[in-house]
Amino acid sequence: MIAQLRGLLAQVEADRCVIDVNGVGYLVQASSRTLAALPQPPELACVLVETVVREDAILLYGFADASERSWFRLLTTVQGVGAKVALAILSVLPPPDLMAAIAAGDRTMLTRAGGVGARLAQRIVTELRDKCDGMPTGLPAGVAVSAATVAVPTPRSIAADAVLALSGLGFRRAEAQPVVERVIDRCEGNADLDVVIRDALKELAR
């Protein structure tokens, strides 16, 4: 099993990247937050990896830190939460916010992720509420997580995250910023980070 990859970052796309390790390119799927944390190609990059072996494929999922990988593993134990949905959740809710949302039973926060409806959000809350104790958050030791720590995303914070993600994909901040703002304006207050990044990529690729 592959647990970690270190090599040259050859390519970054909206939901995946390619890491060249001694001439072999590994396709790694990841959350938008992990992708945004990567350096610019072709710099050296290192990601933790969860390897999933299926009958027809060997799939690699990459993470910037151990806390995100641990939450990916926990999320995929819930029926209906596959790897794609787990990454979508981690793209909009970093581990501290995810833990607090589950503890508070905040289904609305969970439904911000693509592929998560009200029923699935309720199932996640029900099945994981008692399993959150001891889960890593990536926060400094001694910092407690509670329902009060969940920050409701604002258009401004979503714009900043989207621009950061697009910068990680190789776009200049100056060209990404106005496109992101236009996309958010079209959403009329219902902006979702994954949707903003996807639609902005479409415009920037024209």
Side-chain angles (χ1 to χ4, degrees), residues 85-102:
V85 171
L87 290 180
I89 293 172
L90 291 167
S91 290
V92 299
L93 289 173
D97 291 354
L98 178 55
M99 176 180 281
I102 292 173

Side-chain angles (χ1 to χ4, degrees), residues 124-148:
I124 292 171
V125 168
T126 301
E127 294 190 18
L128 300 187
R129 179 175 284 165
D130 295 333
K131 299 179 180 180
C132 289
D133 290 345
M135 285 294 293
T137 63
L139 292 174
V143 177
V145 175
S146 67

Side-chain angles (χ1 to χ4, degrees), residues 2-3 48-52 59-63 69 72-73:
I2 298 173
L48 300 177
V49 172
E50 181 75 1
T51 304
V52 176
L59 303 174
L60 305 179
Y61 299 95
F63 308 93
R69 182 171 63 180
F72 173 86
R73 291 170 174 169

Side-chain angles (χ1 to χ4, degrees), residues 15-144:
D15 58 354
R16 66 193 67 191
C17 65
V18 176
I19 298 180
D20 185 329
V21 182
N22 297 324
V24 179
Y26 292 87
L27 179 64
V28 181
Q29 299 179 59
S31 71
S32 60
R33 292 180 183 277
T34 286
L35 294 173
L38 294 175
Q40 294 287 337
E43 294 184 22
L44 184 67
C46 180
V47 293
L48 300 177
V49 172
E50 181 75 1
T51 304
V52 176
V53 179
R54 302 190 324 202
E55 290 185 2
D56 58 342
I58 298 177
L59 303 174
L60 305 179
Y61 299 95
F63 308 93
D65 55 57
S67 62
E68 191 182 51
R69 182 171 63 180
S70 295
W71 275 98
F72 173 86
R73 291 170 174 169
L74 183 62
L75 284 167
T76 52
T77 64
V78 178
Q79 182 181 359
V81 179
K84 183 177 180 179
V85 171
L87 290 180
I89 293 172
L90 291 167
S91 290
V92 299
L93 289 173
D97 291 354
L98 178 55
M99 176 180 281
I102 292 173
D106 192 339
R107 295 181 302 172
T108 301
M109 290 294 290
L110 291 167
T111 56
R112 289 177 50 226
V116 180
R119 287 186 179 180
L120 182 55
Q122 182 60 56
R123 187 181 303 145
I124 292 171
V125 168
T126 301
E127 294 190 18
L128 300 187
R129 179 175 284 165
D130 295 333
K131 299 179 180 180
C132 289
D133 290 345
M135 285 294 293
T137 63
L139 292 174
V143 177

